[in-house]
Amino acid sequence: MDDVAHQTLRDYVAERKPQVRAEEGKGPAEVFIRQTHRFAEEAEVDFGDVTVRPRGKLVVVCSFALRMSFWGKAVHRCFLSAGQEGFFEGHVHAFEVLGGVPFGKIRYDNLRAAVARVIGFARLREEFDC
């Protein structure tokens, strides 16, 4: 065993250990479930702060990103504030670029404008009343 590098042995054990545990029924087998979406059915929106460096100066802006779930095409736009105007303008711009709106639903990821607070470890949301 003297001719095997320590790192080679560590790499082998790291790869083989989960396989052995799964074979013995002691650990979960790796599972991959492919997501399926119908064409133009749904989209996802992220609206949050990003830091950019125009002309060498750091500036925090609000980034709007709408991504179509079926093929991953995304439209991005940055705003100087995270107000409703930017939020709505981001949607209008994305729908114009994409040539329409999703016919199913749009999912929003931790939208500060709609979520008052996240409750506990279950990540339940207390939403603002509109």
Side-chain angles (χ1 to χ4, degrees), residues 2 10 26 35 43 56-57 68 86 93 105 112 122 130:
D2 295 332
R10 285 178 51 113
K26 295 181 180 176
Q35 291 188 17
K57 182 181 177 189
M68 296 300 295
H93 174 71
K105 62 185 171 187
R112 280 184 303 198
C130 295

Side-chain angles (χ1 to χ4, degrees), residues 29-74:
E30 291 186 31
V31 177
F32 174 77
I33 300 173
R34 182 175 301 280
Q35 291 188 17
T36 58
H37 302 282
R38 292 176 21 204
F39 181 78
E41 181 178 28
E42 62 181 68
E44 304 164 20
V45 169
D46 286 310
F47 191 59
D49 293 341
V50 295
T51 304
V52 296
R53 189 187 303 263
R55 298 186 189 129
K57 182 181 177 189
L58 288 177
V59 178
V60 176
V61 297
C62 188
S63 170
F64 176 92
L66 185 142
R67 180 185 167 276
M68 296 300 295
S69 300
F70 176 77
W71 73 93
K73 180 172 178 127

Side-chain angles (χ1 to χ4, degrees), residues 50-112:
V50 295
T51 304
V52 296
R53 189 187 303 263
R55 298 186 189 129
K57 182 181 177 189
L58 288 177
V59 178
V60 176
V61 297
C62 188
S63 170
F64 176 92
L66 185 142
R67 180 185 167 276
M68 296 300 295
S69 300
F70 176 77
W71 73 93
K73 180 172 178 127
V75 177
H76 299 84
R77 186 163 247 191
C78 289
F79 300 93
L80 293 178
S81 75
Q84 285 184 345
E85 299 85 4
F87 181 70
F88 294 138
E89 185 180 325
H91 281 81
V92 170
H93 174 71
F95 298 151
E96 287 173 351
V97 169
L98 296 170
V101 300
F103 68 83
K105 62 185 171 187
I106 299 176
R107 290 182 282 133
Y108 295 90
D109 185 22
N110 295 327
L111 182 59
R112 280 184 303 198

